[in-house]
Amino acid sequence: MNNLNKRAVPGNGRTIDIVKKGLNKRYRKERRFRVFGWAAVMISLGFLFLLFISIISNGYTAFQQTMVRLDVYLDTDVIDKDDLAGADYAKLIHEALLSVYPDVTKYNEKRKLYELVSTGAAYRLRDFVAKNRHAIGTTIQIWVPADDDVDMLIKGHIDRKTPQSRRRINDRQLAWVDHLISRGQVKKVFNMTFFTSGDSREPELAGIWGAVCGSFYTLIVTLVLSFPIGGAAAVYLEEFAPKNRWTDIIEVNINNLAAVPSIVYGLLGLAVFLNFFGLPRSVPLVGGLVLTLMTLPTIIIVGRSALKAVSPSIREAGLSIGASKVQLVAHHVLPQALPGMLTGTIIGMAQALGETAPLLMIGMVAFIVDIPAGFTDPSTVLPVQIYLWADSPERAFLEKTSAAIMVLLLFLMIMNATAVFLRRIFEKRQ
Amino acid sequence: MAPFHLLLTLCVLAIAGFFIGRSKSFAVCSAQGGPRALHSRPIYYGILTAIWCAVPALIVFSFWYFFQSTIIMDLVIADLPDPIRFLPEDRLNLVVNDIKNIVAGNIVAGNISPAIQAAADHYKSLEKTAQVALSVIITAMAIIAIAGVYLKITPTLRARNYVEKIIEGLLIACTSLAVFTTIGIVASVFYEAIRFFKIVPVYKFLFGLQWSPQMAIHAEQIGSSGAFGAIPVILGTMLIAGIAMCVAVPVGLMAAIYLAEYANKNFRNIAKPLLEILAGIPTVVYGFFAALVVAPAIRDAGGILGFSVSSESALAAGIVMGIMIIPFVSSLSDDVINAVPQSLRDGALSLGSTRSETITNVVLPAALPGIVGGVLLAVSRAIGETMIVVMAAGLSANLTVNPFQAVTTVTVQIVTLLVGDQEFDSAKTLAAFALGLLLFVITLALNVVALIVVRKYREHYE
């Protein structure tokens, strides 16, 4: 008591006065602390919005594509009716362009003129002719994709005011484009190419379908392997394994594997699957194997917690009426834990869908135009496609990259929403 | 039969085996008063038959395919005309590749000599023979197994116990895959790293100050002697991870404190899932964001303030990596803060301390070990993160701690050394595995320490 008094005395008031004196300062500190916390949350959310806004603002234009209408005379001299595939369709496109601007005669100018439409225009024309054989010998109107530079100009990504030398489109081409626009020969349409074709060096012809197919096959392999194996491992560790040093080691091991950097799995895949077993490069099969190893720890850990959540009374009831351990697990525990395990699997799959680094190691980073049709066709996956496009210098690939990211995020959102939905159902039942 | 058809046949046989076994069990017990007289339920007799039919055949099948091409190739090589057979190793490999290409129906460069064409035909015929042999063996094995089990089925056969033993064995096999993965990682990375250390001594790798992994192709080539000193790479990794931690730890921790201690329920219900979205975004997207938005912004800001900032500055990669790790830190801290018993808070509040005093003086010290564990896990994440640094950090290994300059990291080097085709005997390629080993060891050590710390902490309050 004495002691307390002594400490309170130094001012010449009572303890309560000292406390009150400091109170304002302490409250200010309290408010400051609270604001810091609030700011931290807001900063994180701010980053999230900045990320989304920058990607959407860069990418939404990729869903539209500029088309140019050409009046093409299907010259019987150029197209041989018996050999449709062998005809020089590019020449027909060029003649159609020249017929609009007959005053262009110099070689260099002609080349600039031809650059207004995509090299893919010839393929469009070929497909058209293959379908309409009777049109050979007449003049047809056809919409063909514009070149990516024209596309960028129409979408406003190329500034007309920059000096000609620093612009990808020169003044002459600008005038041509403006003239075409005034004649109503240019329009923007929904970009189907982006969703239906594979990769290409020409931005206006590049699409994500090849990468989506590659991702699909890779994920199928991952799912088919990782769900049964991960589920079985979780069941063994949780229900059957004796508690001894071995199972302890396995448990620690799995926890550590979950935190191993994904690129190390890529090294494993390269050394074991490609070099030792001699499996082919760049194929979804190997990608799926690597991603299986990578997602297994996640699936096992989530699966175990789902099994742990099954109430002990069910186990005791099952055992007391004479079920064997396997029967108990198969008939009573697993059905209860299944939604939880599925949630874990979906989370693992979402992780696998977004993973890039290990796939770079096993060569899924190749430039592949064809749409993969099976598990052993060379292919790339969506995130790797994003990485490849992000490296391309053309401005047009910037919006393609952002659009591909939007598609990837959409897939991830669907998967995560499914996981949340499953969890809800599961919680309701209990 | 093609492998697919063979597997299909096996499947059909196994299903047939199931029904045969089950009906046999019904048959043997009919005299003794129905299924009650059996040791197990009839379905187990069916499953036992099916397993015996399928599993051994499958094992033979996979082994056969594993060794088939090597053995056939050896046979073909042994039959090649002598001048080709005694070619040096690498030339012979070319010939083998040619043969393989012809067999696969690929386009072969150059013209095909009759000897090689003959060898390819030989290969094809051997393959056909092997295929037929395998089909016969597998089908025979399956049928014999069905017959064997069929004869053995009696009411006293403990079918359920056998089946359960087999199921348990399968479960153990699946579990041990996790261990095999670890062994696989360690063995493969270690093996290649050892090969690397035979070319470049360990001490030069660990303590060398220069990293330029170019090996001379010709002995007289200038300027590509190859230097494999990992210090600049490690320093760059530490720099970027350090910047990331400077962003992630304060923001993540404060966010977790606010959400756990201050925020009302509605705010928490909105903010937490949004933070989780941040955690679910693929790293390649962060990499794109870093290269597209953050790096140019920092470069321009530096230009205005008068520094020269590299467009691949460590700062940009570090900040974006920090953003990526924020949700990781905040969710781990959230868990440990919530695990601090309410009684401690109540005690502090009842003594008249404000909320922030309670948090800084009572809750955080109590939660400290858990938070430290979480931060260690976050560091190991930052070190192992690949895509952000590949897309936003540099390639040149500068020995610097200036965050405005370009540095490179362990993961960037692994990717650049290994992407594309590579020979597996050059120091350049093997260096990637040495770096991989380094990465694995560092992250493993961090994880082990972190897990021990977190576990100790949990035991403290449970």
Side-chain angles (χ1 to χ4, degrees):
Chain A
M1 200 62 192
N2 232 349
N3 213 355
L4 249 180
N5 273 339
K6 254 185 209 161
R7 268 168 63 186
V9 162
N12 37 11
R14 292 176 302 153
T15 316
I16 190 76
D17 295 327
I18 300 170
V19 169
K20 273 185 180 160
K21 225 179 179 179
L23 214 50
N24 275 333
K25 202 175 160 196
R26 287 171 59 203
Y27 281 156
R28 271 205 302 279
K29 215 171 147 195
E30 163 74 19
R31 275 197 297 274
R32 220 180 304 142
F33 192 77
R34 199 180 166 139
V35 167
F36 279 149
W38 184 80
V41 178
M42 285 302 142
I43 286 173
S44 333
L45 298 185
F47 279 133
L48 181 68
F49 289 120
L50 185 65
L51 187 90
F52 272 90
I53 286 168
S54 69
I55 283 164
I56 291 172
S57 65
N58 270 308
Y60 76 97
T61 46
F63 296 115
Q64 286 203 317
Q65 187 180 23
T66 308
M67 303 291 268
V68 177
R69 195 191 70 214
L70 292 179
D71 301 314
V72 182
Y73 173 56
L74 298 177
D75 197 340
T76 40
D77 293 343
V78 180
I79 305 177
D80 179 3
K81 273 199 173 169
D82 301 321
D83 181 23
L84 286 181
D88 186 359
Y89 293 100
K91 191 177 165 198
L92 293 177
I93 298 278
H94 293 170
E95 275 170 5
L97 279 166
L98 281 177
S99 70
V100 185
Y101 303 105
D103 54 324
V104 179
T105 48
K106 279 188 204 133
Y107 173 74
N108 270 344
E109 285 187 339
K110 273 189 185 169
R111 235 188 50 206
K112 285 285 173 205
L113 180 63
Y114 300 157
E115 275 174 11
L116 289 185
V117 297
S118 161
T119 47
Y123 306 124
R124 285 280 170 103
L125 189 62
R126 187 189 62 199
D127 295 346
F128 178 88
V129 173
K131 268 186 213 144
N132 308 290
R133 280 165 157 272
H134 58 83
I136 296 172
T138 61
T139 302
I140 55 149
Q141 280 195 344
I142 186 169
W143 286 96
V144 295
D147 189 65
D148 58 303
D149 291 332
V150 176
D151 191 39
M152 288 296 104
L153 180 77
I154 303 279
K155 286 171 183 169
H157 295 312
I158 292 180
D159 191 358
R160 285 162 183 263
K161 285 182 194 115
T162 42
Q164 185 175 212
S165 56
R166 284 170 52 197
R167 209 185 313 128
R168 286 188 55 108
I169 279 191
N170 68 17
D171 290 341
R172 192 75 196 271
Q173 284 176 308
L174 260 184
W176 286 328
V177 171
D178 287 339
H179 179 240
L180 284 175
I181 294 173
S182 68
R183 285 171 41 136
Q185 278 184 283
V186 177
K187 71 171 176 183
K188 278 200 277 186
V189 297
F190 179 70
N191 191 352
M192 273 311 278
T193 319
F194 182 69
F195 294 100
T196 54
S197 64
D199 197 5
S200 170
R201 294 278 184 232
E202 304 293 328
E204 71 274 10
L205 302 177
I208 54 168
W209 186 240
V212 169
C213 285
S215 273
F216 176 75
Y217 289 124
T218 310
L219 278 194
I220 290 287
V221 174
T222 314
L223 182 66
V224 164
L225 290 174
S226 67
F227 180 59
I229 296 179
V235 166
Y236 180 74
L237 287 174
E238 203 55 42
E239 305 287 334
F240 293 95
K243 295 275 169 272
N244 59 20
R245 193 192 288 174
W246 276 109
T247 43
D248 254 11
I249 290 175
I250 293 179
E251 197 177 336
V252 171
N253 190 350
I254 288 173
N255 283 338
N256 278 324
L257 276 182
V260 167
S262 61
I263 194 166
V264 174
Y265 286 99
L267 287 176
L268 171 75
L270 176 63
V272 173
F273 296 133
L274 296 190
N275 284 349
F276 187 70
F277 287 123
L279 292 172
R281 283 180 151 268
S282 326
V283 299
L285 180 67
V286 180
L289 286 172
V290 170
L291 292 180
T292 301
L293 296 182
M294 201 195 79
T295 49
L296 265 184
T298 315
I299 293 176
I300 295 175
I301 291 169
V302 180
R304 286 187 70 177
S305 60
L307 287 166
K308 251 185 213 141
V310 176
S311 83
S313 59
I314 288 179
R315 289 170 220 271
E316 280 151 19
L319 291 175
S320 69
I321 55 168
S324 73
K325 199 104 199 234
V326 174
Q327 285 172 327
L328 168 70
V329 171
H331 300 166
H332 303 286
V333 178
L334 263 188
Q336 293 256 334
L338 207 58
M341 293 172 95
L342 280 178
T343 313
T345 309
I346 294 173
I347 292 171
M349 287 300 114
Q351 208 183 345
L353 177 60
E355 196 53 71
T356 324
L359 300 179
L360 298 183
M361 299 285 95
I362 54 159
M364 287 191 96
V365 63
F367 171 72
I368 287 148
V369 178
D370 295 329
I371 312 285
F375 297 105
T376 50
D377 279 0
S379 58
T380 182
V381 294
L382 209 42
V384 177
Q385 187 71 73
I386 290 168
Y387 166 66
L388 285 172
W389 281 351
D391 257 8
S392 305
E394 285 97 339
R395 172 66 180 75
F397 271 124
L398 180 66
E399 65 171 33
K400 299 266 168 192
T401 315
S402 308
I405 287 176
M406 281 192 252
V407 173
L408 177 63
L409 290 180
L410 184 75
F411 279 129
L412 288 176
M413 263 176 207
I414 293 172
M415 290 170 92
N416 283 316
T418 320
V420 171
F421 182 68
L422 268 176
R423 207 182 308 164
R424 286 269 159 81
I425 291 182
F426 181 49
E427 277 165 2
K428 233 177 244 169
R429 251 204 321 198
Q430 281 195 327
Chain B
M1 267 188 277
F4 176 72
H5 292 142
L6 194 53
L7 283 179
L8 210 67
T9 318
L10 198 56
C11 226
V12 171
L13 280 174
I15 292 169
F18 173 80
F19 285 109
I20 292 171
R22 206 174 66 134
S23 64
K24 170 77 191 261
S25 72
F26 278 120
V28 290
C29 65
S30 63
Q32 288 147 299
R36 236 156 222 255
L38 292 172
H39 168 269
S40 312
R41 290 166 65 205
I43 191 170
Y44 284 104
Y45 294 93
I47 295 176
L48 188 65
T49 323
I51 288 176
W52 268 107
C53 167
V55 174
L58 270 181
I59 293 172
V60 170
F61 180 85
S62 43
F63 267 91
W64 189 288
Y65 264 92
F66 193 70
F67 293 113
Q68 172 174 301
S69 60
T70 338
I71 293 174
I72 292 184
M73 208 25 133
D74 285 348
L75 287 175
V76 169
I77 291 174
D79 268 9
L80 281 173
D82 282 348
I84 301 180
R85 193 148 56 98
F86 294 114
L87 281 174
E89 181 82 22
D90 46 343
R91 292 283 305 280
L92 192 62
N93 278 339
L94 283 179
V95 173
V96 166
N97 268 335
D98 270 353
I99 296 174
K100 275 186 187 159
N101 276 333
I102 296 172
V103 169
N106 289 342
I107 303 151
V108 186
N111 36 9
I112 306 154
S113 75
I116 292 179
Q117 184 63 48
D121 291 343
H122 187 195
Y123 187 101
K124 272 186 200 161
S125 77
L126 279 178
E127 204 173 33
K128 205 172 253 173
T129 321
Q131 201 61 258
V132 172
L134 180 65
S135 309
V136 172
I137 290 175
I138 295 252
T139 322
M141 271 182 73
I143 292 172
I144 291 171
I146 292 176
V149 180
Y150 182 82
L151 292 177
K152 280 229 160 164
I153 290 176
T154 56
T156 51
L157 180 72
R158 301 158 69 84
R160 181 172 58 77
N161 301 41
Y162 288 126
V163 170
E164 288 184 352
K165 273 264 156 56
I166 294 168
I167 289 178
E168 206 164 319
L170 278 177
L171 293 182
I172 291 176
C174 289
T175 311
S176 52
L177 194 71
V179 183
F180 284 128
T181 310
T182 316
I183 295 173
I185 289 176
V186 174
S188 63
V189 176
F190 212 73
Y191 175 69
E192 307 287 353
I194 293 285
R195 283 174 65 192
F196 173 72
F197 291 133
K198 275 183 193 153
I199 306 172
V200 178
V202 183
Y203 65 91
K204 271 196 182 167
F205 175 71
L206 284 181
F207 304 110
L209 293 180
Q210 207 197 350
W211 177 267
S212 63
Q214 299 300 326
M215 283 305 257
I217 298 170
H218 311 292
E220 67 272 19
Q221 206 172 322
I222 306 165
S224 50
S225 52
F228 295 93
I231 291 285
V233 182
I234 295 170
L235 197 69
T237 312
M238 294 297 162
L239 178 63
I240 291 184
I243 295 169
M245 289 302 106
C246 289
V247 175
V249 171
V251 176
L253 193 56
M254 283 310 284
I257 290 171
Y258 187 80
L259 289 177
E261 304 281 335
Y262 286 108
N264 61 19
K265 210 176 161 207
N266 287 333
F267 186 82
R268 197 163 40 226
N269 282 347
I270 297 171
K272 254 190 161 174
L274 284 178
L275 276 182
E276 276 169 30
I277 291 183
L278 212 51
I281 292 175
T283 53
V284 68
V285 178
Y286 281 110
F288 181 64
F289 180 65
L292 177 83
V293 179
V294 179
I298 289 174
R299 192 190 51 209
D300 295 345
I304 291 167
L305 296 175
F307 314 100
S308 79
V309 180
S310 158
S311 58
E312 291 176 329
S313 62
L315 197 59
I319 287 176
V320 174
M321 197 187 274
I323 297 172
M324 185 198 83
I325 295 174
I326 288 174
F328 192 70
V329 174
S330 82
S331 77
L332 282 175
S333 321
D334 198 41
D335 286 349
V336 288
I337 288 172
N338 281 328
V340 174
Q342 186 61 31
S343 56
L344 287 183
R345 287 189 194 94
D346 293 345
L349 289 172
S350 68
L351 285 174
S353 52
T354 62
R355 263 173 157 182
S356 64
E357 283 161 354
T358 313
I359 292 164
T360 47
N361 297 334
V362 178
V363 177
L364 284 187
L368 195 64
I371 292 173
V372 169
V375 170
L376 284 180
L377 283 179
V379 171
S380 102
R381 251 233 176 150
I383 290 174
E385 170 47 45
T386 310
M387 288 324 288
I388 294 177
V389 278
V390 166
M391 292 168 86
L395 284 179
S396 56
N398 296 325
L399 190 63
T400 176
V401 286
N402 179 355
F404 298 114
Q405 274 192 348
V407 292
T408 190
T409 73
V410 174
T411 48
V412 172
Q413 287 306 318
I414 295 176
V415 169
T416 36
L417 291 176
L418 283 186
V419 166
D421 277 320
Q422 67 285 111
E423 281 298 320
F424 257 80
D425 43 13
S426 81
K428 194 178 155 184
T429 319
L430 295 176
F433 283 90
L435 286 176
L437 182 65
L438 194 67
L439 185 68
F440 182 68
V441 169
I442 293 175
T443 50
L444 191 69
L446 281 171
N447 292 335
V448 169
V449 173
L451 287 177
I452 290 170
V453 170
V454 172
R455 191 186 269 188
K456 278 264 163 62
Y457 165 75
R458 285 222 183 102
E459 278 162 8
H460 194 66
Y461 285 116
E462 264 165 15

